[in-house]
Amino acid sequence: PASADAMESAVWEKVRDHPCYSEEAHHYFARMHVAVAPACNIQCNYCNRKYDCANESRPGVVSENVTPDQAVRKVIAVANQVPQLSVLGIAGPGDACYDWNKTKATFGRVAEVIPDLKLCLSTNGLALPDHVAELCDMNVDHVTITINMVDPQVGAKIHPWIFYKHRRYTGIEAARILHERQMLGLEMLTARGILAKINSVMIPGVNDEHLMEVNKWVKARGAFLHNIMPLISNPEHGTHYGLTGQRGPKAMELKALQDRLEGGARLMRHCRQCRADAVGLLGEDRGQEFTLDQISEDV
Ligand code: SF4
Ligand code: SF4
């Protein structure tokens, strides 16, 4: 787990107030997500579009989708009642870089009212290179990219299609483009000093062994954390798009992989896969106290 002695001081300076990255901070600082970005430009086989994006969130939950204006009202309401609020993230429910105008409008307006709030977002990476310069201008200091493969052969089993430059690509070609864009996006973030965390969804029999290779690639390109998330199969919430019957890893399998990856890019073990509308300290979710119908019109 991340701690002061395990991190370079420059990185530590940026993450010590961030509940997701610092083991210490997660007891004292709160984060919130606003679900302003419903559109997505790729298909993941583990995704069920009716629910939150699995890039960062626990699949099988439906977050309260809000417009940028509503999001700003929510952030102000939460900041007034949760003094520990230090981070605002956009984690879907689709892709924050693809649904860019809403992400940008939300961050821009929030920065005007609460300038010291740290901003972060999560993305599948396909549209990321197009927006790194603006992310830098907006002082976004953390980006999470979900990277499940560095080999298009593996990628084609996880991502059946992408929508890129006005057309749809499928199979190996789609996975190759996605892979190239993810690597480019990561390199651009590193070059600008924006911290990049990598999430990988561990899918037994599909990419579990391969994640060792992913870890090497992302570490070589400057990722400061690599978070292995278990595939969560949720049959009661409907089948996944293309992985019907696929099981998630057992807790022991997850831990064994994390242990093998120690020494690679630093691993994050306390990510809770929070909802796209989560509010509060890590491990608690006060989102239900701050739904739109509960915050007053005049905030
Ligand atoms: Fe679903 Fe994948 Fe798009 Fe997230 S990036 S919304 S998991 S298809
Ligand atoms: Fe932090 Fe993980 Fe929750 Fe995102 S999903 S707010 S990284 S703990």
Side-chain angles (χ1 to χ4, degrees), residues 17-19 25 28-32 82-88 116-119:
D17 295 354
H18 198 302
Y28 307 108
F29 295 97
R31 54 78 182 97
M32 79 180 281
V82 182
Q84 308 97 320
L85 184 68
S86 69
V87 178
L88 169 68
D116 53 350
L117 209 53
K118 286 179 191 292
L119 306 174

mmCIF file with all atom_site columns, all heavy atoms in Angstrom, residues 17-19 25 28-32 82-88 116-119:
data_model
loop_
_atom_site.group_PDB
_atom_site.id
_atom_site.type_symbol
_atom_site.label_atom_id
_atom_site.label_alt_id
_atom_site.label_comp_id
_atom_site.label_asym_id
_atom_site.label_entity_id
_atom_site.label_seq_id
_atom_site.pdbx_PDB_ins_code
_atom_site.Cartn_x
_atom_site.Cartn_y
_atom_site.Cartn_z
_atom_site.occupancy
_atom_site.B_iso_or_equiv
_atom_site.pdbx_formal_charge
_atom_site.auth_seq_id
_atom_site.auth_comp_id
_atom_site.auth_asym_id
_atom_site.auth_atom_id
_atom_site.pdbx_PDB_model_num
ATOM 1   N N   . ASP A 1 17  ? -3.134  14.031 0.419   1.00 0.00 ? 17  ASP A N   1
ATOM 2   C CA  . ASP A 1 17  ? -4.503  14.366 0.828   1.00 0.00 ? 17  ASP A CA  1
ATOM 3   C C   . ASP A 1 17  ? -5.545  13.590 0.032   1.00 0.00 ? 17  ASP A C   1
ATOM 4   O O   . ASP A 1 17  ? -6.725  13.901 0.089   1.00 0.00 ? 17  ASP A O   1
ATOM 5   C CB  . ASP A 1 17  ? -4.781  15.859 0.595   1.00 0.00 ? 17  ASP A CB  1
ATOM 6   C CG  . ASP A 1 17  ? -3.921  16.725 1.477   1.00 0.00 ? 17  ASP A CG  1
ATOM 7   O OD1 . ASP A 1 17  ? -3.211  16.179 2.341   1.00 0.00 ? 17  ASP A OD1 1
ATOM 8   O OD2 . ASP A 1 17  ? -3.956  17.953 1.282   1.00 0.00 ? 17  ASP A OD2 1
ATOM 9   N N   . HIS A 1 18  ? -5.094  12.645 -0.748  1.00 0.00 ? 18  HIS A N   1
ATOM 10  C CA  . HIS A 1 18  ? -6.036  11.932 -1.603  1.00 0.00 ? 18  HIS A CA  1
ATOM 11  C C   . HIS A 1 18  ? -6.419  10.597 -0.963  1.00 0.00 ? 18  HIS A C   1
ATOM 12  O O   . HIS A 1 18  ? -5.575  9.734  -0.777  1.00 0.00 ? 18  HIS A O   1
ATOM 13  C CB  . HIS A 1 18  ? -5.407  11.696 -2.979  1.00 0.00 ? 18  HIS A CB  1
ATOM 14  C CG  . HIS A 1 18  ? -6.418  11.376 -4.037  1.00 0.00 ? 18  HIS A CG  1
ATOM 15  N ND1 . HIS A 1 18  ? -7.267  10.298 -3.931  1.00 0.00 ? 18  HIS A ND1 1
ATOM 16  C CD2 . HIS A 1 18  ? -6.736  12.003 -5.196  1.00 0.00 ? 18  HIS A CD2 1
ATOM 17  C CE1 . HIS A 1 18  ? -8.052  10.267 -4.996  1.00 0.00 ? 18  HIS A CE1 1
ATOM 18  N NE2 . HIS A 1 18  ? -7.759  11.295 -5.779  1.00 0.00 ? 18  HIS A NE2 1
ATOM 19  N N   . PRO A 1 19  ? -7.698  10.445 -0.639  1.00 0.00 ? 19  PRO A N   1
ATOM 20  C CA  . PRO A 1 19  ? -8.108  9.248  0.097   1.00 0.00 ? 19  PRO A CA  1
ATOM 21  C C   . PRO A 1 19  ? -7.856  7.951  -0.661  1.00 0.00 ? 19  PRO A C   1
ATOM 22  O O   . PRO A 1 19  ? -7.719  6.900  -0.050  1.00 0.00 ? 19  PRO A O   1
ATOM 23  C CB  . PRO A 1 19  ? -9.610  9.459  0.319   1.00 0.00 ? 19  PRO A CB  1
ATOM 24  C CG  . PRO A 1 19  ? -10.030 10.452 -0.716  1.00 0.00 ? 19  PRO A CG  1
ATOM 25  C CD  . PRO A 1 19  ? -8.829  11.329 -0.943  1.00 0.00 ? 19  PRO A CD  1
ATOM 26  N N   . ALA A 1 25  ? -4.454  9.063  4.355   1.00 0.00 ? 25  ALA A N   1
ATOM 27  C CA  . ALA A 1 25  ? -5.454  10.089 4.028   1.00 0.00 ? 25  ALA A CA  1
ATOM 28  C C   . ALA A 1 25  ? -6.861  9.530  3.980   1.00 0.00 ? 25  ALA A C   1
ATOM 29  O O   . ALA A 1 25  ? -7.828  10.254 4.190   1.00 0.00 ? 25  ALA A O   1
ATOM 30  C CB  . ALA A 1 25  ? -5.111  10.738 2.685   1.00 0.00 ? 25  ALA A CB  1
ATOM 31  N N   . TYR A 1 28  ? -9.159  10.548 6.712   1.00 0.00 ? 28  TYR A N   1
ATOM 32  C CA  . TYR A 1 28  ? -9.393  11.965 7.034   1.00 0.00 ? 28  TYR A CA  1
ATOM 33  C C   . TYR A 1 28  ? -9.946  12.795 5.891   1.00 0.00 ? 28  TYR A C   1
ATOM 34  O O   . TYR A 1 28  ? -10.455 13.888 6.120   1.00 0.00 ? 28  TYR A O   1
ATOM 35  C CB  . TYR A 1 28  ? -8.082  12.621 7.505   1.00 0.00 ? 28  TYR A CB  1
ATOM 36  C CG  . TYR A 1 28  ? -7.431  11.862 8.615   1.00 0.00 ? 28  TYR A CG  1
ATOM 37  C CD1 . TYR A 1 28  ? -6.274  11.126 8.400   1.00 0.00 ? 28  TYR A CD1 1
ATOM 38  C CD2 . TYR A 1 28  ? -8.014  11.848 9.890   1.00 0.00 ? 28  TYR A CD2 1
ATOM 39  C CE1 . TYR A 1 28  ? -5.688  10.398 9.429   1.00 0.00 ? 28  TYR A CE1 1
ATOM 40  C CE2 . TYR A 1 28  ? -7.432  11.123 10.912  1.00 0.00 ? 28  TYR A CE2 1
ATOM 41  C CZ  . TYR A 1 28  ? -6.274  10.401 10.680  1.00 0.00 ? 28  TYR A CZ  1
ATOM 42  O OH  . TYR A 1 28  ? -5.703  9.675  11.687  1.00 0.00 ? 28  TYR A OH  1
ATOM 43  N N   . PHE A 1 29  ? -9.789  12.322 4.679   1.00 0.00 ? 29  PHE A N   1
ATOM 44  C CA  . PHE A 1 29  ? -10.230 13.131 3.543   1.00 0.00 ? 29  PHE A CA  1
ATOM 45  C C   . PHE A 1 29  ? -11.318 12.387 2.773   1.00 0.00 ? 29  PHE A C   1
ATOM 46  O O   . PHE A 1 29  ? -11.283 11.171 2.652   1.00 0.00 ? 29  PHE A O   1
ATOM 47  C CB  . PHE A 1 29  ? -9.050  13.456 2.612   1.00 0.00 ? 29  PHE A CB  1
ATOM 48  C CG  . PHE A 1 29  ? -8.017  14.328 3.261   1.00 0.00 ? 29  PHE A CG  1
ATOM 49  C CD1 . PHE A 1 29  ? -6.878  13.775 3.836   1.00 0.00 ? 29  PHE A CD1 1
ATOM 50  C CD2 . PHE A 1 29  ? -8.199  15.710 3.329   1.00 0.00 ? 29  PHE A CD2 1
ATOM 51  C CE1 . PHE A 1 29  ? -5.934  14.576 4.455   1.00 0.00 ? 29  PHE A CE1 1
ATOM 52  C CE2 . PHE A 1 29  ? -7.257  16.508 3.943   1.00 0.00 ? 29  PHE A CE2 1
ATOM 53  C CZ  . PHE A 1 29  ? -6.120  15.952 4.516   1.00 0.00 ? 29  PHE A CZ  1
ATOM 54  N N   . ALA A 1 30  ? -12.260 13.162 2.273   1.00 0.00 ? 30  ALA A N   1
ATOM 55  C CA  . ALA A 1 30  ? -13.393 12.551 1.575   1.00 0.00 ? 30  ALA A CA  1
ATOM 56  C C   . ALA A 1 30  ? -13.308 12.825 0.082   1.00 0.00 ? 30  ALA A C   1
ATOM 57  O O   . ALA A 1 30  ? -12.726 13.813 -0.355  1.00 0.00 ? 30  ALA A O   1
ATOM 58  C CB  . ALA A 1 30  ? -14.697 13.101 2.136   1.00 0.00 ? 30  ALA A CB  1
ATOM 59  N N   . ARG A 1 31  ? -13.926 11.953 -0.690  1.00 0.00 ? 31  ARG A N   1
ATOM 60  C CA  . ARG A 1 31  ? -13.989 12.138 -2.126  1.00 0.00 ? 31  ARG A CA  1
ATOM 61  C C   . ARG A 1 31  ? -15.457 12.082 -2.549  1.00 0.00 ? 31  ARG A C   1
ATOM 62  O O   . ARG A 1 31  ? -16.297 11.526 -1.866  1.00 0.00 ? 31  ARG A O   1
ATOM 63  C CB  . ARG A 1 31  ? -13.186 11.071 -2.885  1.00 0.00 ? 31  ARG A CB  1
ATOM 64  C CG  . ARG A 1 31  ? -13.537 9.601  -2.555  1.00 0.00 ? 31  ARG A CG  1
ATOM 65  C CD  . ARG A 1 31  ? -14.785 9.111  -3.198  1.00 0.00 ? 31  ARG A CD  1
ATOM 66  N NE  . ARG A 1 31  ? -15.114 7.745  -2.840  1.00 0.00 ? 31  ARG A NE  1
ATOM 67  C CZ  . ARG A 1 31  ? -15.967 7.424  -1.883  1.00 0.00 ? 31  ARG A CZ  1
ATOM 68  N NH1 . ARG A 1 31  ? -16.547 8.350  -1.128  1.00 0.00 ? 31  ARG A NH1 1
ATOM 69  N NH2 . ARG A 1 31  ? -16.262 6.155  -1.661  1.00 0.00 ? 31  ARG A NH2 1
ATOM 70  N N   . MET A 1 32  ? -15.750 12.654 -3.682  1.00 0.00 ? 32  MET A N   1
ATOM 71  C CA  . MET A 1 32  ? -17.066 12.424 -4.263  1.00 0.00 ? 32  MET A CA  1
ATOM 72  C C   . MET A 1 32  ? -16.924 12.243 -5.764  1.00 0.00 ? 32  MET A C   1
ATOM 73  O O   . MET A 1 32  ? -16.024 12.776 -6.394  1.00 0.00 ? 32  MET A O   1
ATOM 74  C CB  . MET A 1 32  ? -18.058 13.542 -3.918  1.00 0.00 ? 32  MET A CB  1
ATOM 75  C CG  . MET A 1 32  ? -17.954 14.803 -4.719  1.00 0.00 ? 32  MET A CG  1
ATOM 76  S SD  . MET A 1 32  ? -19.195 16.053 -4.219  1.00 0.00 ? 32  MET A SD  1
ATOM 77  C CE  . MET A 1 32  ? -20.693 15.488 -5.039  1.00 0.00 ? 32  MET A CE  1
ATOM 78  N N   . VAL A 1 82  ? -19.751 18.272 4.241   1.00 0.00 ? 82  VAL A N   1
ATOM 79  C CA  . VAL A 1 82  ? -18.668 17.302 4.463   1.00 0.00 ? 82  VAL A CA  1
ATOM 80  C C   . VAL A 1 82  ? -17.352 18.078 4.386   1.00 0.00 ? 82  VAL A C   1
ATOM 81  O O   . VAL A 1 82  ? -16.764 18.233 3.326   1.00 0.00 ? 82  VAL A O   1
ATOM 82  C CB  . VAL A 1 82  ? -18.699 16.182 3.394   1.00 0.00 ? 82  VAL A CB  1
ATOM 83  C CG1 . VAL A 1 82  ? -17.609 15.142 3.646   1.00 0.00 ? 82  VAL A CG1 1
ATOM 84  C CG2 . VAL A 1 82  ? -20.071 15.508 3.323   1.00 0.00 ? 82  VAL A CG2 1
ATOM 85  N N   . PRO A 1 83  ? -16.910 18.624 5.538   1.00 0.00 ? 83  PRO A N   1
ATOM 86  C CA  . PRO A 1 83  ? -15.728 19.498 5.493   1.00 0.00 ? 83  PRO A CA  1
ATOM 87  C C   . PRO A 1 83  ? -14.461 18.788 5.029   1.00 0.00 ? 83  PRO A C   1
ATOM 88  O O   . PRO A 1 83  ? -13.532 19.432 4.554   1.00 0.00 ? 83  PRO A O   1
ATOM 89  C CB  . PRO A 1 83  ? -15.581 19.971 6.947   1.00 0.00 ? 83  PRO A CB  1
ATOM 90  C CG  . PRO A 1 83  ? -16.444 19.067 7.762   1.00 0.00 ? 83  PRO A CG  1
ATOM 91  C CD  . PRO A 1 83  ? -17.505 18.514 6.871   1.00 0.00 ? 83  PRO A CD  1
ATOM 92  N N   . GLN A 1 84  ? -14.435 17.444 5.108   1.00 0.00 ? 84  GLN A N   1
ATOM 93  C CA  . GLN A 1 84  ? -13.220 16.728 4.684   1.00 0.00 ? 84  GLN A CA  1
ATOM 94  C C   . GLN A 1 84  ? -13.136 16.566 3.170   1.00 0.00 ? 84  GLN A C   1
ATOM 95  O O   . GLN A 1 84  ? -12.170 15.971 2.677   1.00 0.00 ? 84  GLN A O   1
ATOM 96  C CB  . GLN A 1 84  ? -13.167 15.310 5.285   1.00 0.00 ? 84  GLN A CB  1
ATOM 97  C CG  . GLN A 1 84  ? -13.356 15.204 6.769   1.00 0.00 ? 84  GLN A CG  1
ATOM 98  C CD  . GLN A 1 84  ? -14.820 14.867 7.114   1.00 0.00 ? 84  GLN A CD  1
ATOM 99  O OE1 . GLN A 1 84  ? -15.751 15.387 6.505   1.00 0.00 ? 84  GLN A OE1 1
ATOM 100 N NE2 . GLN A 1 84  ? -15.001 14.011 8.104   1.00 0.00 ? 84  GLN A NE2 1
ATOM 101 N N   . LEU A 1 85  ? -14.137 17.084 2.451   1.00 0.00 ? 85  LEU A N   1
ATOM 102 C CA  . LEU A 1 85  ? -14.128 16.861 0.991   1.00 0.00 ? 85  LEU A CA  1
ATOM 103 C C   . LEU A 1 85  ? -12.858 17.438 0.358   1.00 0.00 ? 85  LEU A C   1
ATOM 104 O O   . LEU A 1 85  ? -12.590 18.628 0.476   1.00 0.00 ? 85  LEU A O   1
ATOM 105 C CB  . LEU A 1 85  ? -15.364 17.513 0.341   1.00 0.00 ? 85  LEU A CB  1
ATOM 106 C CG  . LEU A 1 85  ? -15.494 17.246 -1.161  1.00 0.00 ? 85  LEU A CG  1
ATOM 107 C CD1 . LEU A 1 85  ? -15.806 15.776 -1.425  1.00 0.00 ? 85  LEU A CD1 1
ATOM 108 C CD2 . LEU A 1 85  ? -16.574 18.121 -1.787  1.00 0.00 ? 85  LEU A CD2 1
ATOM 109 N N   . SER A 1 86  ? -12.058 16.582 -0.272  1.00 0.00 ? 86  SER A N   1
ATOM 110 C CA  . SER A 1 86  ? -10.821 17.071 -0.891  1.00 0.00 ? 86  SER A CA  1
ATOM 111 C C   . SER A 1 86  ? -10.709 16.713 -2.374  1.00 0.00 ? 86  SER A C   1
ATOM 112 O O   . SER A 1 86  ? -9.891  17.289 -3.072  1.00 0.00 ? 86  SER A O   1
ATOM 113 C CB  . SER A 1 86  ? -9.591  16.528 -0.145  1.00 0.00 ? 86  SER A CB  1
ATOM 114 O OG  . SER A 1 86  ? -9.445  15.139 -0.341  1.00 0.00 ? 86  SER A OG  1
ATOM 115 N N   . VAL A 1 87  ? -11.501 15.767 -2.836  1.00 0.00 ? 87  VAL A N   1
ATOM 116 C CA  . VAL A 1 87  ? -11.349 15.284 -4.206  1.00 0.00 ? 87  VAL A CA  1
ATOM 117 C C   . VAL A 1 87  ? -12.703 15.158 -4.896  1.00 0.00 ? 87  VAL A C   1
ATOM 118 O O   . VAL A 1 87  ? -13.642 14.604 -4.336  1.00 0.00 ? 87  VAL A O   1
ATOM 119 C CB  . VAL A 1 87  ? -10.681 13.883 -4.228  1.00 0.00 ? 87  VAL A CB  1
ATOM 120 C CG1 . VAL A 1 87  ? -10.558 13.368 -5.655  1.00 0.00 ? 87  VAL A CG1 1
ATOM 121 C CG2 . VAL A 1 87  ? -9.314  13.916 -3.571  1.00 0.00 ? 87  VAL A CG2 1
ATOM 122 N N   . LEU A 1 88  ? -12.761 15.666 -6.136  1.00 0.00 ? 88  LEU A N   1
ATOM 123 C CA  . LEU A 1 88  ? -13.933 15.445 -6.986  1.00 0.00 ? 88  LEU A CA  1
ATOM 124 C C   . LEU A 1 88  ? -13.497 14.613 -8.188  1.00 0.00 ? 88  LEU A C   1
ATOM 125 O O   . LEU A 1 88  ? -12.578 14.989 -8.903  1.00 0.00 ? 88  LEU A O   1
ATOM 126 C CB  . LEU A 1 88  ? -14.500 16.783 -7.476  1.00 0.00 ? 88  LEU A CB  1
ATOM 127 C CG  . LEU A 1 88  ? -15.567 16.638 -8.581  1.00 0.00 ? 88  LEU A CG  1
ATOM 128 C CD1 . LEU A 1 88  ? -16.832 15.986 -8.034  1.00 0.00 ? 88  LEU A CD1 1
ATOM 129 C CD2 . LEU A 1 88  ? -15.885 17.984 -9.206  1.00 0.00 ? 88  LEU A CD2 1
ATOM 130 N N   . ASP A 1 116 ? -9.805  24.944 -4.518  1.00 0.00 ? 116 ASP A N   1
ATOM 131 C CA  . ASP A 1 116 ? -8.790  24.041 -3.948  1.00 0.00 ? 116 ASP A CA  1
ATOM 132 C C   . ASP A 1 116 ? -9.178  22.566 -3.995  1.00 0.00 ? 116 ASP A C   1
ATOM 133 O O   . ASP A 1 116 ? -8.440  21.709 -3.510  1.00 0.00 ? 116 ASP A O   1
ATOM 134 C CB  . ASP A 1 116 ? -8.409  24.466 -2.524  1.00 0.00 ? 116 ASP A CB  1
ATOM 135 C CG  . ASP A 1 116 ? -9.626  24.618 -1.633  1.00 0.00 ? 116 ASP A CG  1
ATOM 136 O OD1 . ASP A 1 116 ? -10.762 24.578 -2.160  1.00 0.00 ? 116 ASP A OD1 1
ATOM 137 O OD2 . ASP A 1 116 ? -9.447  24.767 -0.413  1.00 0.00 ? 116 ASP A OD2 1
ATOM 138 N N   . LEU A 1 117 ? -10.313 22.258 -4.590  1.00 0.00 ? 117 LEU A N   1
ATOM 139 C CA  . LEU A 1 117 ? -10.702 20.851 -4.708  1.00 0.00 ? 117 LEU A CA  1
ATOM 140 C C   . LEU A 1 117 ? -9.817  20.155 -5.754  1.00 0.00 ? 117 LEU A C   1
ATOM 141 O O   . LEU A 1 117 ? -9.643  20.668 -6.853  1.00 0.00 ? 117 LEU A O   1
ATOM 142 C CB  . LEU A 1 117 ? -12.168 20.796 -5.157  1.00 0.00 ? 117 LEU A CB  1
ATOM 143 C CG  . LEU A 1 117 ? -13.032 19.612 -4.737  1.00 0.00 ? 117 LEU A CG  1
ATOM 144 C CD1 . LEU A 1 117 ? -12.998 19.383 -3.234  1.00 0.00 ? 117 LEU A CD1 1
ATOM 145 C CD2 . LEU A 1 117 ? -14.468 19.841 -5.206  1.00 0.00 ? 117 LEU A CD2 1
ATOM 146 N N   . LYS A 1 118 ? -9.254  18.999 -5.393  1.00 0.00 ? 118 LYS A N   1
ATOM 147 C CA  . LYS A 1 118 ? -8.479  18.238 -6.381  1.00 0.00 ? 118 LYS A CA  1
ATOM 148 C C   . LYS A 1 118 ? -9.429  17.559 -7.349  1.00 0.00 ? 118 LYS A C   1
ATOM 149 O O   . LYS A 1 118 ? -10.477 17.067 -6.957  1.00 0.00 ? 118 LYS A O   1
ATOM 150 C CB  . LYS A 1 118 ? -7.663  17.149 -5.686  1.00 0.00 ? 118 LYS A CB  1
ATOM 151 C CG  . LYS A 1 118 ? -6.466  17.634 -4.924  1.00 0.00 ? 118 LYS A CG  1
ATOM 152 C CD  . LYS A 1 118 ? -5.785  16.423 -4.267  1.00 0.00 ? 118 LYS A CD  1
ATOM 153 C CE  . LYS A 1 118 ? -4.728  16.824 -3.272  1.00 0.00 ? 118 LYS A CE  1
ATOM 154 N NZ  . LYS A 1 118 ? -3.565  17.446 -3.898  1.00 0.00 ? 118 LYS A NZ  1
ATOM 155 N N   . LEU A 1 119 ? -9.031  17.523 -8.619  1.00 0.00 ? 119 LEU A N   1
ATOM 156 C CA  . LEU A 1 119 ? -9.893  16.945 -9.650  1.00 0.00 ? 119 LEU A CA  1
ATOM 157 C C   . LEU A 1 119 ? -9.257  15.679 -10.224 1.00 0.00 ? 119 LEU A C   1
ATOM 158 O O   . LEU A 1 119 ? -8.049  15.649 -10.462 1.00 0.00 ? 119 LEU A O   1
ATOM 159 C CB  . LEU A 1 119 ? -10.096 17.957 -10.783 1.00 0.00 ? 119 LEU A CB  1
ATOM 160 C CG  . LEU A 1 119 ? -10.623 19.335 -10.360 1.00 0.00 ? 119 LEU A CG  1
ATOM 161 C CD1 . LEU A 1 119 ? -10.634 20.286 -11.553 1.00 0.00 ? 119 LEU A CD1 1
ATOM 162 C CD2 . LEU A 1 119 ? -12.022 19.220 -9.750  1.00 0.00 ? 119 LEU A CD2 1
#
